[in-house]
Amino acid sequence: MACLTARGFGPARRQYGSRHGNEFVPSGHSTHIFPGRLTLENRSGHGDRVEFPSPLVRGVLVRRYKRFFADVRLEGGEVVAAHCANPGSMKTCIVEGGTVWLSRAQNPNRKLRFTWELAEIDGRRVYVNPSGANQLTLEGLKQRRIPALAGYDLVSREVPYGVSSRIDLLLTGPRRCYVEVKNVTMDGGDSRGAFPDSVTDRGRKHLHELIAVAARGDRAVMFFCASREGTLAVVPADVIDPQYGKALRLAQAQGVELLAHQVCFGERALSLGQEIPVLLPS
């Protein structure tokens, strides 16, 4: 896996499993499997990465349009319409004429045969499919790559909480921990990834929900997957959404923990790398 180190921002902190249908089982503590949840068991794991559904296909980006579509010219010359799962602006990720990588749909009945997975910008890869960020975080827990979130017996996904919200991950142990996951793809300059890449009312709502979680005594964590190669820190994109930046600073002041980890790139898979800092410039 290709993953740059965060020298200059402090030491790396990293350190788990089997899979049961849509659940994974990190090693650590003995308990039981429940629908919609995953448990930590005393066993060794081998899956330390998230594999793409198929070998990636190289192409050249022609255009992105209607948010969820991208025309890509394959190496043989065919232009295909690919699904773009990223609903944001994808600022600093779209270079018409630039190299992109697509996965091929496994369902032969799917209307769009391809999904846009990676962009290549100035020789560095960016994971532009946000749906993988949650799975990367799960695999990071499984492999004990997130020391700050170690020591939990059970993980549940998409649990209702707050006002019509669902938390990405609920970790259950001596003290419950609510984890919201975000995918960071935008280049913020100076080897920093910036979030969000467009105004996000939903993102601000999540922060206020986490503040309420922290206020009642549970752990609340905003977890950023830094999905752009070379990212050594994460910052709020104040120029794009100053209200989100304000809410993020308030959340930290009110006890919400801010965590970020690099994403490491392999030929067929991704994995969660070392921890990097979340910086809040004044």
Side-chain angles (χ1 to χ4, degrees), residues 13-262:
R13 293 194 297 164
R14 54 165 293 193
Q15 277 272 16
Y16 93 122
S18 61
R19 185 169 303 280
H20 295 254
N22 292 327
E23 303 171 352
F24 73 78
V25 181
S27 59
H29 307 282
S30 177
T31 181
H32 303 285
I33 293 291
F34 296 94
R37 299 183 287 179
L38 55 99
T39 60
L40 311 183
E41 292 184 337
N42 287 320
R43 63 176 71 182
S44 298
H46 302 285
D48 63 347
R49 59 187 185 173
V50 175
E51 294 189 353
F52 294 113
S54 65
L56 297 187
V57 177
R58 182 174 180 170
V60 172
L61 180 65
V62 177
R63 62 169 182 153
R64 181 210 186 191
Y65 57 102
K66 297 182 180 179
R67 291 177 66 193
F68 299 108
F69 300 92
D71 285 344
V72 176
R73 179 176 290 105
L74 304 183
E75 291 188 327
E78 178 188 6
V79 175
V80 299
H83 174 56
C84 177
N86 194 323
S89 72
M90 297 185 66
K91 187 176 176 67
T92 76
C93 296
I94 298 176
V95 177
E96 293 183 358
T99 298
V100 297
W101 299 85
L102 312 178
S103 62
R104 192 183 300 270
Q106 301 302 290
N107 180 359
N109 298 319
R110 203 180 91 162
K111 185 174 181 180
L112 296 178
R113 291 184 293 147
F114 297 95
T115 296
W116 185 4
E117 302 284 358
L118 305 178
E120 194 170 313
I121 312 293
D122 296 328
R124 289 184 173 174
R125 292 163 290 186
V126 187
Y127 182 43
V128 299
N129 187 344
S131 65
N134 284 8
Q135 189 63 32
L136 279 166
T137 306
L138 287 173
E139 293 296 334
L141 288 167
K142 176 181 174 181
Q143 298 300 323
R144 298 297 193 192
R145 295 180 183 270
I146 313 175
L149 299 180
Y152 288 91
D153 298 326
L154 183 69
V155 183
S156 304
R157 296 176 287 181
E158 297 293 326
V159 177
Y161 83 120
V163 181
S164 301
S165 295
R166 288 181 178 271
I167 194 67
D168 290 322
L169 302 173
L170 175 59
L171 315 185
T172 303
R175 183 184 177 198
R176 288 184 302 179
C177 180
Y178 291 72
V179 183
E180 184 68 33
V181 180
K182 301 297 183 187
N183 194 44
V184 182
T185 60
M186 190 172 77
D187 183 2
D190 297 325
S191 297
R192 297 174 177 182
F195 184 90
D197 65 2
S198 58
V199 174
T200 172
D201 294 337
R202 183 169 177 265
R204 291 196 302 276
K205 179 175 182 286
H206 289 157
L207 287 172
H208 288 292
E209 299 279 27
L210 290 175
I211 289 172
V213 166
R216 68 172 184 247
D218 290 322
R219 285 185 73 186
V221 175
M222 178 59 69
F223 189 93
F224 296 100
C225 281
S227 295
R228 191 182 193 99
E229 277 187 312
T231 299
L232 302 182
V234 171
V235 296
D238 293 320
V239 173
I240 289 177
D241 191 345
Q243 293 305 310
Y244 182 87
K246 181 179 178 180
L248 189 65
R249 291 170 174 85
L250 175 64
Q252 185 190 52
Q254 295 295 320
V256 177
E257 302 170 48
L258 309 182
L259 298 176
H261 276 249
Q262 292 177 328

